């Protein structure tokens, strides 16, 4: 492998260093290019731009590989717990028994949300989207836990991991007109979340272990995905030295969009529409292919996966298992399978390498678990939290410079300003 790439511009040759990652990924370092040549690189949507060197997650979109800190997603989803994966992502290695006990008990100790934050929450309208509520409350944490930016990062990480489930369940309770539940620190992370979501003061509630285990798997599958839109947002905001809470809050907002995490809500709404319209999946495949329709097959396609999304493979099987175990017969699961089958055999989708992504089947499981549609993206945020934290921490520890892309200006060139009084005088009748 050469040490440099050579670029010829305006009769001069520039040597640009080659960077190789531990999995053999290659990059050309263009950091000095503008200073040397006056040129920048242009890459809308960062389709081919490496923004950082990261040791958190490796993925190979062509081969459908996803690993957290070197461990295969298939193994983690099958054998690990969400909190163990969170530790792995945030601190780099699997925890020892003692390290895990300290991490877990720290999280159990911090689950209560400040009562004054509850007053902020009470001001939201009953029909507020839970993503807006969650991002606001996470941002508000920066007012309640000001601490020392840098010195208190570890404690703030524990606080955030601990309080997210509590805050996430509040907005659901409000939308139902039910009293909120407080955390029960005897319960594990997933069981505690489900208890806060579904327990009512008027009847006893028992968390079904099938449900808790399905939730554990879904959270693991969402825990990190290297430099996606929301993670890049977290890193970019954090690069200005903004605190952890405001950086993560920005990530939650980025995740909300329908092209990113918001797709899981859109998928279910789309499948419901297809069902209400007679269940003709072919009609919707045709619409997705017709650019003038403005319709996209939600839950299909991915910026980096061009073979299959390994998370979708696991989730599809989990959807079958969970529905079977819970005895749920959801007609939209058959519509989803029909749609997948039709798309995978259609030239349009094959040529563009469009496969089902993580969001295609996750909503079907969430529905079976009793989680309402507008909470789906909140579930994604809950899962993605350790990934955002790990990436934020990595960026800060590496003392990365502030993120500040350049642009090619395409607006008006220099124009002479004529004062309003002058301009209006000319057009007056
Ligand atoms: N349905 C129909 N056509 C599609 C779809 C789709 N879901 N996705 C991409 N295409 C077409 C697109 O029109 C384009 O066609 P052409 O080359 O003829 O112009 C081609 O495929 C390439 O698409 P693109 O929009 O340039 O690809 P991208 O990498 O910029 O976008 C994406 C990736 C995920 C935003 C896009 O595939 C999409 O909008 N999918 C639906 C939304 C979705 O499911 N998002 C969740 C992503 S996974 C969860 C996460 O990590 O966020």
């Amino acid at each position: 492998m050469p040490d440099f790439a050579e670029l010829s511009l305006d009769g001069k040759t520039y040597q640009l260093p080659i960077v190789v990652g531990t999995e053999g990924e290659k990059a050309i370092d263009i950091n000095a290019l503008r200073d040397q040549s006056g040129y920048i690189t242009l890459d809308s949507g960062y389709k081919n731009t490496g923004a950082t060197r990261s040791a958190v997650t490796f993925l190979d979109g062509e081969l459908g590989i996803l690993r957290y800190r070197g461990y295969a997603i298939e193994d983690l989803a099958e054998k690990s717990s969400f909190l163990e994966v969170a530790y792995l992502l945030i601190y780099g290695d699997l925890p020892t028994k003692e390290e895990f006990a300290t991490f877990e008990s720290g999280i159990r100790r911090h689950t209560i949300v400040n009562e004054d934050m509850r007053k902020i929450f009470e001001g939201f309208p009953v029909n507020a989207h839970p993503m807006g509520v969650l991002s606001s409350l996470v941002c508000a944490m920066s007012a309640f836990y000001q601490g020392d930016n840098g010195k208190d990062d570890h404690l703030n990480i524990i606080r955030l991991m601990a309080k997210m489930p509590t805050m996430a369940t509040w907005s659901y309770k409000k939308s139902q007109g039910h009293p909120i539940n407080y955390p029960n620190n005897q319960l594990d992370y997933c069981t505690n979340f489900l208890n806060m979501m579904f327990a009512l003061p008027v009847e006893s509630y028992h968390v079904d272990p099938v449900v808790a285990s399905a939730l554990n798997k879904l959270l693991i599958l969402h825990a990190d995905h290297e430099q996606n839109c929301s993670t890049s947002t977290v890193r970019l905001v954090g690069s200005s030295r903004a605190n952890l809470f405001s950086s993560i809050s920005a990530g939650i907002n980025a995740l909300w969009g329908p092209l990113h995490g918001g797709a899981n809500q859109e998928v279910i709404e789309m499948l419901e529409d297809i069902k209400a319209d007679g269940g003709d999946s072919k009609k919707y495949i045709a619409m997705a292919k017709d650019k003038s329709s403005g319709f996209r097959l939600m839950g299909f396609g991915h910026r980096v996966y061009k073979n299959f999304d390994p998370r979708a493979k696991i989730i599809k099987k989990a959807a079958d298992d969970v529905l079977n175990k819970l005895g749920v017969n959801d007609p939209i699961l058959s519509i989803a399978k029909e749609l997948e089958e039709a798309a995978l055999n259609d030239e349009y989708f094959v040529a563009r390498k469009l496969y089902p992504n993580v969001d295609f089947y996750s909503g079907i499981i969430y529905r079976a678990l009793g989680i309402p549609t507008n909470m789906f993206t909140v579930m994604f945020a809950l899962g993605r939290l350790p990934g955002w934290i790990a990436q934020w921490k990595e960026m800060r520890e590496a003392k990365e410079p502030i993120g500040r892309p350049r642009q090619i200006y395409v607006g008006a060139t220099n124009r002479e300003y004529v004062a309003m009084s002058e301009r209006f005088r000319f057009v007056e009748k």
Side-chain angles (χ1 to χ4, degrees):
M1 176 105 35
D3 291 339
F4 294 95
E6 284 191 340
L7 178 69
S8 296
L9 282 170
D10 306 330
K12 275 193 180 164
T13 300
Y14 301 93
Q15 290 198 321
L16 305 168
I18 300 275
V19 178
V20 185
T22 50
E23 291 282 354
E25 291 176 305
K26 303 183 283 283
I28 299 167
D29 181 346
I30 49 97
N31 255 290
L33 181 64
R34 186 174 181 279
D35 283 349
Q36 291 171 356
S37 68
Y39 282 81
I40 64 163
T41 54
L42 185 61
D43 180 20
S44 312
Y46 310 127
K47 292 192 175 190
N48 196 36
T49 292
T52 189
R53 297 170 203 230
S54 177
V56 181
T57 288
F58 170 70
L59 76 79
D60 182 323
E62 278 72 33
L63 297 178
I65 294 173
L66 174 61
R67 296 188 202 124
Y68 299 159
R69 302 281 189 188
Y71 296 99
I73 189 67
E74 291 79 5
D75 284 342
L76 295 171
E78 190 59 35
K79 301 174 199 156
S80 184
S81 73
F82 177 60
L83 279 196
E84 185 190 31
V85 167
Y87 185 98
L88 171 70
L89 285 167
I90 298 170
Y91 300 107
D93 288 302
L94 289 172
T96 61
K97 198 173 163 200
E98 291 70 30
E99 285 166 341
F100 186 70
T102 310
F103 182 62
E104 200 198 19
S105 67
I107 289 175
R108 281 181 199 249
R109 240 195 342 268
H110 286 278
T111 49
I112 292 268
V113 172
N114 190 302
E115 281 295 290
D116 283 336
M117 275 187 62
R118 212 180 88 170
K119 292 182 192 145
I120 298 178
F121 163 75
E122 278 161 8
F124 286 102
V126 126
N127 60 353
H129 194 286
M131 282 297 275
V133 175
L134 186 67
S135 78
S136 308
L137 292 179
V138 168
C139 196
M141 283 181 75
S142 57
F144 288 84
Y145 307 102
Q146 295 183 22
D148 190 343
N149 201 353
K151 201 171 114 255
D152 292 328
D153 287 352
H154 174 71
L155 180 56
N156 286 341
I157 287 170
I158 298 292
R159 282 176 174 142
L160 192 50
M161 282 293 300
K163 294 178 204 306
M164 259 285 268
T166 313
M167 296 185 294
T169 60
W170 280 2
S171 50
Y172 169 65
K173 283 297 192 191
K174 181 163 197 163
S175 71
Q176 299 295 297
H178 293 165
I180 58 165
N181 285 325
Y182 285 95
N184 174 351
N185 291 346
Q186 305 302 313
L187 304 176
D188 67 66
Y189 200 80
C190 290
T191 311
N192 202 5
F193 170 80
L194 290 165
N195 193 58
M196 285 189 281
M197 271 292 279
F198 297 119
L200 287 168
V202 286
E203 58 192 28
S204 65
Y205 172 75
H206 168 70
V207 176
D208 185 334
V210 173
V211 174
S213 139
L215 177 60
N216 183 61
K217 188 174 287 208
L218 282 167
L219 296 182
I220 291 174
L221 289 172
H222 285 90
D224 194 52
H225 211 235
E226 51 119 297
Q227 308 311 316
N228 56 82
C229 175
S230 56
T231 302
S232 301
T233 302
V234 169
R235 289 185 84 123
L236 188 65
V237 173
S239 78
S240 74
R241 304 293 176 262
N243 65 55
L244 177 73
F245 303 120
S246 44
S247 307
I248 302 283
S249 167
I252 295 173
N253 288 323
L255 186 75
W256 190 0
L259 298 188
H260 191 11
N264 56 14
Q265 174 172 344
E266 302 272 331
V267 169
I268 292 295
E269 287 168 359
M270 174 188 77
L271 294 173
E272 287 284 10
D273 287 348
I274 299 176
K275 183 171 145 246
D277 194 21
D280 181 3
S281 45
K282 291 205 174 60
K283 177 175 162 190
Y284 285 82
I285 295 277
M287 267 166 68
K289 287 158 47 174
D290 174 8
K291 303 269 194 259
S292 66
S293 73
F295 174 78
R296 275 198 167 192
L297 205 53
M298 298 313 283
F300 258 77
H302 201 277
R303 172 61 63 77
V304 290
Y305 290 123
K306 300 300 171 196
N307 181 334
F308 65 91
D309 181 338
R311 304 167 301 172
K313 229 178 169 181
I314 303 171
I315 287 186
K316 184 181 178 183
K317 183 172 176 309
D320 275 331
D321 290 351
V322 169
L323 267 63
N324 276 338
K325 279 190 194 152
L326 296 177
V328 175
N329 180 13
D330 192 338
I332 69 166
L333 179 61
S334 354
I335 296 179
K337 285 186 177 167
E338 258 176 57
L339 210 55
E340 177 182 353
E341 174 85 19
L344 293 183
N345 288 305
D346 190 292
E347 177 52 25
Y348 173 96
F349 290 87
V350 174
R352 289 169 182 76
K353 301 187 170 142
L354 300 170
Y355 295 87
N357 59 49
V358 68
D359 289 326
F360 195 63
Y361 284 104
S362 63
I364 291 171
I365 308 186
Y366 288 137
R367 251 160 80 103
L369 306 189
I371 291 166
T373 316
N374 73 349
M375 280 289 287
F376 289 179
T377 316
V378 167
M379 303 308 294
F380 194 152
L382 204 59
R384 185 53 56 86
L385 180 62
W388 287 331
I389 294 173
Q391 302 266 353
W392 184 91
K393 183 168 168 282
E394 177 179 69
M395 179 267 309
R396 291 294 267 263
E397 286 170 359
K399 296 194 172 26
E400 282 186 10
I402 187 166
R404 204 301 185 189
R406 286 186 178 266
Q407 64 166 20
I408 293 295
Y409 176 69
V410 293
T413 53
N414 194 16
R415 296 198 263 188
E416 191 185 338
Y417 175 71
V418 180
M420 235 200 262
S421 54
E422 291 293 303
R423 292 197 324 270
F424 291 178
R425 195 147 55 90
F426 295 137
V427 293
E428 259 167 30
K429 295 219 169 88

